[in-house]
Amino acid sequence: MWLVALLFAVMMVGCCFGLVGYGSGSVADGLAGLKERGPAVLRGTAALAGACALAVYAWGLLGVAGALMEAESGGTDSAPVRSCRTPGWLERSAAGAEITGYRVSVVPLGFLCETSDGGSYDNGDVPGYVNPAALGLALAAAVCAVSAGYASERGSRAAAGGSGGTGAGPGTGGGPAPGPESPGAGEARPGDSGG
């Protein structure tokens, strides 16, 4: 199980590099004027915030992987679970709350130790800032992405509304397309009997 957590952490780090590359390129293009400034900068900011959220979450996942690796290593002195031997576990055990097992919480990220009285506690291997930071950065990424979509749509509508013509005729950008030309005076029309 700890190998799966480690694999996910490595995959998240790989995604971080991709998002950082896209985000920094998009911000640079927007600031340089190569793309529409507002939406490009917002898209880039969304990608960078998403990369930071993934990096923070991957950091916490490494803590969980370490706790899992320690919990699943057998041998002597493996009970109670070594990952759950946090400060105060002897006092809880003396009070009748023995460590019975563990479980991993994915959202919020944590390694939870279960006790015989039906309770559980976090062992602290995931730093306390990981979950709030990952949530805040993910929300910032979502807000920036939605704002980029809104700004892009608003720009498209403004461009479509501003390109409408005056209907002055062909070649001016507006007005109806010219229809088929009517035959000239000297041309025969269908149904005319030639005289």
Side-chain angles (χ1 to χ4, degrees):
M1 175 110 176
W2 63 269
L3 195 58
V4 173
L6 196 60
L7 179 64
F8 273 116
V10 169
M11 285 172 40
M12 286 181 186
V13 169
C15 289
C16 286
F17 283 114
L19 285 172
V20 166
Y22 171 78
S24 57
S26 185
V27 169
D29 287 349
L31 293 177
L34 299 176
K35 292 183 180 176
E36 193 178 352
R37 184 183 188 106
V41 170
L42 284 169
R43 275 192 298 272
T45 305
L48 292 173
C52 290
L54 280 177
V56 169
Y57 193 85
W59 177 251
L61 200 55
L62 286 176
V64 169
L68 278 170
M69 189 166 46
E70 191 174 14
E72 290 179 358
S73 66
T76 60
D77 194 35
S78 60
V81 178
R82 279 187 291 224
S83 298
C84 293
R85 297 179 197 175
T86 58
W89 76 275
L90 286 173
E91 290 79 10
R92 283 191 294 273
S93 179
E98 298 285 336
I99 298 170
T100 58
Y102 64 89
R103 71 177 191 275
V104 173
S105 170
V106 178
V107 177
L109 190 60
F111 186 90
L112 303 173
C113 301
E114 298 174 334
T115 56
S116 59
D117 61 356
S120 64
Y121 63 94
D122 191 282
N123 76 339
D125 280 356
V126 176
Y129 63 84
V130 165
N131 288 310
L135 177 64
L137 288 164
L139 287 175
V143 167
C144 287
V146 169
S147 299
Y150 175 74
S152 180
E153 179 68 23
R154 192 178 65 189
S156 297
R157 287 185 182 177
S163 68
T166 60
T172 61
E181 294 183 17
S182 51
E187 297 178 29
R189 293 185 180 152
D192 285 349
S193 56

